[in-house]
Amino acid sequence: MNKIKNIKLLNTVLNTILILISGCTSVDDPFDYKADTIVECILYVNESIDTLKLHRTMPVDQKYNKAEAGIGNASVKIFSVAGDTIYMLPAKGKPGSYYDPTRTTVRPATQYYLEIDYPGGKQITGATITPDTFTVLPPKYRVVTYLYDTNIVRWTISNHAAAYLILVSNIEFVRTKIERDQDLLPDNQYNNKEAPTIWTFTLGTSTPLYPWLYNYYGIHEITITAMDNNLYDYVWTMYQDKMRLNEPSFHLNNAIGFFGSGVRRDFIYEIQK
Amino acid sequence: MFKTNLISKKQYIFVMLLYLFITIPLHSQSDISSSIKGGISGYILDLQTKEPLISANVLIMGTSRGTVTNKSGYFVVPDIQVGTVILRASMVGYGTIDSTIEVRPGKFTSVKLRLREAATVLGEVVIEENIIKDKDKTISTISLPVADLQKLPAVGETDLLRTLQLLPGVQASSEISTGLYIRGGSPDQNLILLDGITVYNPSHFFGFFSTFNSDAIKNVKLIKGGFPAEYGGRLSAVLDITNKEGNRNRFSASGSTSLISSKLLVEGPLGNGSFMLSGRRTYLDLILMAANLKDVPNYYFYDLNGKINIDEFENDKFSLSMYAGDDVLDFTIKENNVARQALNISWGNKTLSAKWTHLFSDQIYSNLIVAGSSFKSLTKFGLSGFDMHFDNGISDYSIKPDIEWYPSSEHIVKFGLWGTYYQVKYNTEVGENTGFITNANAHSKYFAGYAQDEWKPNVFWTLTSGLRYNFYSLGSRNYIEPRFQALYRMDDRWSIIGSLGYYTQYTTLITWEGASFADLWFLIDETIRPLEAMQYVLGIHFRDEPFSIELETYYKPMKELTEFNLTSQMDSKNLSEIFYIGSGYSTGIELFIQKYYGALTGWVGYTLSKTVRTFDGINNNKTYPAKWDFTHYLTVTGSYNLGSDWSLGSTLVITSGTTYTVPTGTYQIDFGGGSYTYLRSGDKNAHRLEPYHRLDVSVSKIWKMWNGDWKISLNVYNTYNHRNVWYRNYDYDDDGEPKITDVRLLPIVPTLELSFKF
């Protein structure tokens, strides 16, 4: 009899705890949308400013659409300690894109500032020091046989550069039959496809052009970009752990994204079978 | 120098010092020299194996005088009236023995009492009715009989850390991890000792299994909080594991095989001493090799435990204990017998400790441990000429002399030293000429000295107070840690217990769930301060055989906590650049109801708790719940003897859902010819997944065959196949469409295990 009483008591206690747990721990609405502003702008030395992009974040459960997210009514100013002042204008047909109507050339080793004002938002500010120019030394091979030759690219140091970005783009997609499972392995989302660019980065002033940097045969363009600290911090931290939701390192006030600078040099060579 | 604002400092230290250094001499004068008193000292041993029994109870019948054996099975009862007394020895899982002893004036009578294991067949203990439990149980301490480990369901095989996760106050971050989150502390805040030496990475199989082979374990003691001054260097808890010494009477062997691994243990006499050697290995790799599958990861782990004991001398005993274990993963894709892509990961622990115990007199027992421990992890990745390697680890070399002094019936005094030389290394190289080369090696010395006194002024009170002094060479840090514990016995069944203490920690860990091989240990350097915590515990214990009920509440404020900064640079040299520094606290109430013997044994554990953190640079500097903050955590375990050598075991776990962060938005950044989608982080850990629940069941049958004991167990993990959520994943497909999915944990997993003992 006592045992039955105890079991009943235990059941009551367990049921109470279960109800308590169920009632206190619910899955909340996972979409707490809060708008933030994103800036994307890279100043390339000895080039004019190609574009500055200004967008808003969108709700998590929606497909991101840059046209919808663009902020087109902002006042965008970029100016330097050397006296340059550039007022960027909205690009027609490209919501959120701004261009430099004066085509002013960006100076090396110069500090630039960004100021953006738009209705309903706090002023966005940022700064970058452009890296100094540098020279790429001629690579050993202009024609490389896949898997047999490793080209090493070297360049001189760029002052103010935090690191160097190496982009490899296949600019001539050779339309021959791909020998799958034999040449470009693994056959993943990059290899054996007409994907345009693969990139890596280095802190040094040389890099082997590993076979995995190519996604196909043909003419390739190699671009070495000396990055300022803002760009390098973004590149170093750009991959997001979807469990921790860590975000890249940004250096803007009142916005996310980057206002960075770089110096780029490129050359062409061929990958052959 | 006492550096904390967690407690009021000077007054407290003053009181503690006064207590220690004035009251001990006053109260510690033994009456043993008196002509009307004598004493009894000796060892309590297992009858069949002659293994010393840890935490066995000793009682002078007809009096309230008694004690508990230490880690060598040694005990001392001083100040006994001369004449004939009956000494009763008992221990859970064993029978009792009464021995008539003549106590002579001014002398100690040495005895060796042997207890018979209670009707044990392969760990299925039928506990006898006359077992006496230790009524002087210390605060927040659980001594887990190893036989209990084998009675509960398991995934594949019995696992110590998974069983500990079923105790109140001990939580798992998820079912794929054996990490112990004890009273709001992270796994690196636990001091895990195997035969006296620290184990740094107690896991196999990416954290799914623990390194401790249950067949080789003799005793497990978990102190969830308020641990005494003899332990230090960690903020939260102590897990003290002692391996078997081996059978001193005869050679024997036992083992088991399951779908995951096989284990074998051999033990036997060695001179006047003994030896034990135990090994375990998984064989998934051998199955895959036999199947001749291509491009499949090759994985295995093994571990070895060994111990040698030399008992050639009456007052001196020596033992040598070792552990070695490795996990090896090899995933190589070959083309024409040439490796095109290769991932090789190997990681593991190695420990070696030598222990010398010496009896200076019946009242002064000492031991000296000289030991080394290391955890190493090596990861290599190669892709068509591009090579990366990550090589990291921690080593420590320690020396620990301890003395136990039994000056009178009222006092047990312990004091000792602890010296450790730490080395950590973190060497990486990414590609050729990339500049991503890190050689972050560091070393440090840690020295500690402690003194503690357990004072029983009368039958109602036991007061244990201690001081621990720590010196840490990096930054020349000095810390004094007071510890205090009080036990008040209201009657034979009820007692009230409380403790407070100050704790510091000089190492910290970066760990990733599901990737324990990548654990990175760091020594606190000059740029940050050691981690600090206070612990306050208050509880009430009730014991009326066969039940015990413990209700404890705790509060643990912590500061100088570290959290890895994922945006730190690879070449960061200072820990202040690698970690966010913050604070936090955990508080909770634990209820632990146990039934020790009878056809049905088991426990109910419930914890109501809160654990929060605050870091500059995280969550906009706002306080947030820890990832392992579970408001409710309920576990129910049971083992039922069905008769006819059949038994049933079950485990039920119900907890609040894991905390997680809901993103507030999404955005894209175009870079390097591609477009990258990100999630904007909302308030950290502000939401919870659905509650977690799981039921495991096991059925076992034992029988005798070929002069041995055999057992077969069917374990069913997650019996009703409830797919609990591990984490919520927010992602986007190639077209940018959102994909929000719940990543779920294990389904129902039935496993079979066969074990034997000769």
Side-chain angles (χ1 to χ4, degrees):
Chain A
M1 198 63 186
N2 273 341
K3 276 186 180 174
I4 293 169
K5 268 187 180 176
N6 288 338
I7 289 167
K8 280 184 176 174
L9 181 66
L10 190 65
N11 270 336
T12 309
V13 170
L14 285 175
N15 285 331
T16 308
I17 292 169
L18 270 169
I19 291 163
L20 195 67
I21 290 172
S22 306
C24 295
T25 316
S26 59
V27 177
D28 297 298
D29 178 5
F31 311 122
D32 298 342
Y33 176 63
K34 176 175 161 286
D36 285 300
T37 310
I38 312 116
V39 175
E40 297 168 77
C41 181
I42 303 175
L43 310 183
Y44 286 106
V45 169
N46 293 334
E47 300 176 33
S48 60
I49 303 171
D50 182 47
T51 186
L52 179 144
K53 295 176 188 170
L54 192 64
H55 297 90
R56 283 194 184 87
T57 56
M58 291 185 70
V60 174
D61 58 338
Q62 292 180 21
K63 181 177 177 177
Y64 194 79
N65 184 324
K66 280 215 162 182
E68 281 181 28
I71 300 172
N73 55 349
S75 164
V76 179
K77 183 171 87 170
I78 295 172
F79 58 100
S80 74
V81 292
D84 301 319
T85 301
I86 303 158
Y87 292 95
M88 306 283 286
L89 298 179
K92 286 181 182 172
K94 292 183 179 176
S97 288
Y98 294 78
Y99 72 101
D100 171 16
T102 64
R103 313 285 303 167
T104 304
T105 300
V106 174
R107 300 169 193 265
T110 303
Q111 185 149 16
Y112 283 82
Y113 298 95
L114 171 72
E115 283 181 6
I116 300 175
D117 294 283
Y118 63 102
K122 290 182 180 173
Q123 186 184 54
I124 297 166
T125 59
T128 176
I129 298 174
T130 55
D132 222 335
T133 53
F134 68 101
T135 306
V136 176
L137 306 174
K140 186 177 177 183
Y141 306 108
R142 284 290 178 182
V143 178
V144 169
T145 305
Y146 182 69
L147 282 184
Y148 292 96
D149 303 324
T150 299
N151 230 354
I152 295 178
V153 185
R154 298 175 201 281
W155 55 89
T156 60
I157 287 178
S158 164
N159 293 323
H160 306 299
Y164 300 88
L165 183 74
I166 300 116
L167 292 99
V168 181
S169 305
N170 187 320
I171 58 175
E172 183 203 40
F173 191 75
V174 182
R175 301 191 178 281
T176 56
K177 184 173 167 52
I178 299 169
E179 296 178 24
R180 291 185 188 277
D181 300 330
Q182 188 172 350
D183 292 308
L184 292 178
L185 285 173
D187 186 15
N188 55 26
Q189 59 175 318
Y190 303 112
N191 280 346
N192 306 322
K193 292 177 178 63
E194 209 167 348
T197 307
I198 298 174
W199 59 265
T200 182
F201 63 103
T202 177
L203 297 176
T205 55
S206 69
T207 183
L209 294 174
Y210 299 104
W212 57 266
L213 283 168
Y214 322 128
N215 52 27
Y216 204 59
Y217 306 111
I219 305 297
H220 283 68
E221 182 181 66
I222 314 297
T223 305
I224 312 292
T225 304
M227 297 184 287
D228 78 329
N229 193 58
N230 295 355
L231 270 189
Y232 170 57
D233 271 357
Y234 166 70
V235 171
W236 174 246
T237 60
M238 68 183 297
Y239 289 105
Q240 185 169 44
D241 177 344
K242 292 292 192 293
M243 282 178 78
R244 297 181 190 227
L245 294 188
N246 58 296
E247 290 185 76
S249 276
F250 299 130
H251 296 276
L252 291 165
N253 297 313
N254 300 321
I256 52 179
F258 50 75
F259 174 63
S261 59
V263 183
R264 54 186 173 186
R265 297 280 180 270
D266 53 47
F267 62 94
I268 285 173
Y269 76 113
E270 184 181 352
I271 308 296
Q272 66 177 12
K273 268 191 171 182
Chain B
M1 191 163 51
F2 185 66
K3 298 175 180 173
T4 180
N5 54 16
L6 287 172
I7 56 168
S8 58
K9 306 167 200 169
K10 291 179 181 173
Q11 298 91 338
Y12 187 71
I13 292 174
F14 178 75
V15 170
M16 298 301 293
L17 285 170
L18 203 65
Y19 175 79
L20 267 177
F21 299 108
I22 296 179
T23 62
I24 288 174
L26 284 178
H27 292 278
S28 61
Q29 300 307 308
S30 171
D31 290 337
I32 196 70
S33 58
S34 162
S35 61
I36 58 166
K37 289 194 174 177
I40 302 172
S41 65
Y43 293 89
I44 308 293
L45 309 173
D46 182 294
L47 177 68
Q48 292 177 322
T49 65
K50 290 186 183 171
E51 282 237 18
L53 296 178
I54 302 170
S55 299
N57 299 292
V58 175
L59 184 69
I60 308 293
M61 296 301 287
T63 74
S64 59
R65 303 287 311 285
T67 189
V68 175
T69 56
N70 68 10
K71 289 182 76 173
S72 295
Y74 185 73
F75 73 93
V76 179
V77 186
D79 299 347
I80 306 171
Q81 293 288 338
V82 296
T84 302
V85 298
I86 296 173
L87 186 75
R88 171 167 289 182
S90 66
M91 186 175 167
V92 67
Y94 286 81
T96 60
I97 185 167
D98 288 345
S99 180
T100 303
I101 294 167
E102 185 70 26
V103 178
R104 289 165 294 170
K107 297 198 171 175
F108 273 89
T109 304
S110 292
V111 295
K112 280 187 182 170
L113 301 178
R114 296 182 175 86
L115 295 184
R116 184 174 64 83
E117 199 170 358
T120 300
V121 181
L122 283 172
E124 294 294 326
V125 179
V126 181
I127 297 178
E128 294 181 354
E129 295 289 325
N130 56 353
I131 279 172
I132 297 172
K133 288 292 295 181
D134 171 22
K135 288 188 168 62
D136 287 350
K137 189 176 182 305
T138 50
I139 198 161
S140 306
T141 302
I142 295 172
S143 285
L144 194 65
V146 175
D148 281 2
L149 291 176
Q150 293 165 349
K151 289 198 282 187
L152 297 175
V155 197
E157 61 181 62
T158 303
D159 191 283
L160 170 64
L161 298 188
R162 286 191 176 278
T163 306
L164 293 177
Q165 288 174 342
L166 299 172
L167 297 169
V170 185
Q171 293 159 344
S173 64
S174 80
E175 68 186 47
I176 64 162
S177 169
T178 53
L180 301 179
Y181 293 83
I182 300 177
R183 289 185 174 171
S186 50
D188 61 319
Q189 294 177 4
N190 305 324
L191 178 65
I192 297 180
L193 299 169
L194 178 64
D195 283 331
I197 182 68
T198 308
V199 177
Y200 287 94
N201 183 284
S203 69
H204 283 304
F205 197 61
F206 309 95
F208 197 86
F209 295 108
S210 77
T211 53
F212 305 112
N213 178 348
S214 59
D215 287 358
I217 297 171
K218 171 176 155 184
N219 186 270
V220 178
K221 182 164 83 170
L222 175 67
I223 311 176
K224 295 185 289 184
F227 51 87
E230 63 188 287
Y231 299 106
R234 293 291 192 277
L235 293 192
S236 284
V238 175
L239 177 61
D240 197 350
I241 300 163
T242 307
N243 266 348
K244 286 178 180 170
E245 294 187 358
N247 194 324
R248 285 169 165 81
N249 273 344
R250 66 180 184 90
F251 290 98
S252 67
S254 59
S256 65
T257 184
S258 70
L259 298 175
I260 292 168
S261 69
S262 284
K263 298 185 281 190
L264 181 67
L265 181 145
V266 291
E267 56 186 331
L270 186 69
N272 283 339
S274 62
F275 78 94
M276 181 278 291
L277 185 64
S278 172
R280 170 172 64 160
R281 193 190 190 282
T282 59
Y283 30 69
L284 180 66
D285 57 321
L286 303 176
I287 295 169
L288 293 175
M289 197 185 298
N292 201 23
L293 297 174
K294 277 186 70 178
D295 299 341
V296 172
N298 192 356
Y299 170 81
Y300 69 90
F301 74 75
Y302 77 90
D303 47 39
L304 286 170
N305 288 275
K307 206 164 182 177
I308 294 171
N309 301 282
I310 300 168
D311 297 346
E312 298 295 331
F313 312 100
E314 183 63 28
N315 292 328
D316 295 278
K317 296 181 189 304
F318 301 91
S319 68
L320 194 65
S321 172
M322 62 79 65
Y323 168 84
D326 277 312
D327 288 57
V328 177
L329 173 72
D330 178 9
F331 187 20
T332 303
I333 297 174
K334 290 183 177 177
E335 171 66 23
N336 296 328
N337 286 327
V338 176
R340 295 282 296 277
Q341 180 176 310
L343 174 67
N344 307 101
I345 309 175
S346 61
W347 69 102
N349 297 276
K350 291 185 175 49
T351 70
L352 180 66
S353 64
K355 183 178 175 184
W356 169 34
T357 61
H358 175 71
L359 277 177
F360 287 99
S361 72
D362 291 294
Q363 289 171 282
I364 301 178
Y365 165 92
S366 73
N367 66 59
L368 171 68
I369 293 175
V370 179
S373 174
S374 73
F375 163 68
K376 288 179 182 170
S377 172
L378 178 63
T379 303
K380 290 180 181 174
F381 175 72
L383 176 62
S384 301
F386 177 80
D387 295 314
M388 292 191 288
H389 84 256
F390 305 91
D391 180 10
N392 81 83
I394 183 168
S395 303
D396 87 25
Y397 306 94
S398 297
I399 180 163
K400 295 195 275 187
D402 297 283
I403 287 179
E404 292 172 22
W405 176 32
Y406 303 84
S408 71
S409 60
E410 295 172 352
H411 289 273
I412 300 174
V413 178
K414 293 183 180 178
F415 50 93
L417 302 172
W418 183 329
T420 296
Y421 177 70
Y422 289 110
Q423 275 185 313
V424 296
K425 70 172 181 178
Y426 175 59
N427 300 330
T428 64
E429 190 164 350
V430 181
E432 192 180 331
N433 300 319
T434 59
F436 292 109
I437 299 171
T438 307
N439 291 299
N441 299 325
H443 58 88
S444 177
K445 291 185 271 297
Y446 168 75
F447 170 80
Y450 74 90
Q452 70 184 51
D453 175 39
E454 184 183 305
W455 178 29
K456 292 182 181 174
N458 52 49
V459 294
F460 300 109
W461 285 97
T462 302
L463 304 169
T464 307
S465 49
L467 278 179
R468 185 179 181 90
Y469 164 75
N470 300 284
F471 170 76
Y472 180 73
S473 66
L474 279 177
S476 297
R477 323 274 186 164
N478 294 275
Y479 287 85
I480 293 174
E481 300 172 351
R483 315 275 174 86
F484 182 73
Q485 189 177 115
L487 169 76
Y488 177 70
R489 292 171 205 82
M490 291 185 282
D491 56 32
D492 280 351
R493 301 185 301 171
W494 291 92
S495 56
I496 297 173
I497 196 161
S499 81
L500 57 90
Y502 171 61
Y503 303 85
T504 56
Q505 181 169 329
Y506 306 89
T507 54
T508 189
L509 175 71
I510 298 175
T511 188
W512 286 267
E513 190 173 285
S516 64
F517 66 89
D519 278 7
L520 283 177
W521 282 93
F522 291 86
L523 300 176
I524 299 300
D525 68 6
E526 294 90 341
T527 65
I528 65 173
R529 288 160 56 103
L531 290 68
E532 294 178 41
M534 281 295 299
Q535 292 196 30
Y536 306 91
V537 187
L538 184 65
I540 184 162
H541 293 185
F542 169 82
R543 195 178 299 275
D544 191 4
E545 303 297 342
F547 290 100
S548 78
I549 300 172
E550 295 175 10
L551 183 68
E552 290 191 1
T553 179
Y554 62 90
Y555 174 60
K556 180 163 63 179
M558 294 167 272
K559 54 186 276 198
E560 310 302 336
L561 299 176
T562 58
E563 183 72 32
F564 178 44
N565 180 354
L566 282 164
T567 61
S568 62
Q569 294 295 323
M570 187 176 177
D571 57 350
S572 298
K573 298 290 183 200
N574 298 325
L575 264 53
S576 58
E577 298 165 351
I578 296 172
F579 291 102
Y580 296 110
I581 305 299
S583 60
Y585 71 86
S586 61
T587 185
I589 300 172
E590 297 166 5
L591 177 66
F592 188 34
I593 304 170
Q594 264 187 294
K595 183 171 182 292
Y596 294 113
Y597 60 83
L600 176 67
T601 58
W603 68 73
V604 176
Y606 171 71
T607 308
L608 173 70
S609 64
K610 181 180 182 181
T611 302
V612 297
R613 296 283 187 267
T614 311
F615 284 87
D616 283 345
I618 299 179
N619 199 39
N620 295 318
N621 306 337
K622 290 184 294 185
T623 298
Y624 60 90
K627 181 76 180 163
W628 55 92
D629 172 56
F630 298 97
T631 308
H632 305 282
Y633 206 98
L634 173 73
T635 58
V636 183
T637 72
S639 174
Y640 188 67
N641 189 341
L642 295 165
S644 304
D645 299 328
W646 285 89
S647 62
L648 189 68
S650 73
T651 299
L652 173 69
V653 182
I654 306 172
T655 78
S656 301
T658 310
T659 61
Y660 76 109
T661 305
V662 171
T664 59
T666 180
Y667 58 99
Q668 278 183 351
I669 287 182
D670 300 328
F671 184 82
S675 190
Y676 298 86
T677 303
Y678 295 97
L679 296 165
R680 191 88 176 107
S681 179
D683 285 344
K684 190 172 174 66
N685 296 342
H687 297 73
R688 285 187 187 278
L689 298 172
E690 64 192 41
Y692 176 98
H693 52 95
R694 191 190 84 231
L695 176 70
D696 308 331
V697 175
S698 69
V699 182
S700 301
K701 162 77 176 169
I702 55 175
W703 74 97
K704 288 194 177 292
M705 186 170 71
W706 302 327
N707 293 325
D709 298 317
W710 293 77
K711 176 183 171 185
I712 189 161
S713 302
L714 172 67
N715 293 286
V716 184
Y717 186 82
N718 194 5
T719 307
Y720 55 83
N721 195 31
H722 179 252
R723 300 299 301 277
N724 288 293
V725 179
W726 182 15
Y727 63 91
R728 180 155 296 158
N729 190 51
Y730 296 85
D731 212 343
Y732 297 86
D733 64 18
D734 291 343
D735 297 326
E737 292 289 346
K739 285 169 57 185
I740 302 169
T741 52
D742 284 340
V743 178
R744 295 189 179 268
L745 290 159
L746 295 177
I748 182 171
V749 182
T751 55
L752 209 58
E753 185 178 26
L754 178 70
S755 52
F756 62 88
K757 186 174 184 181
F758 291 98

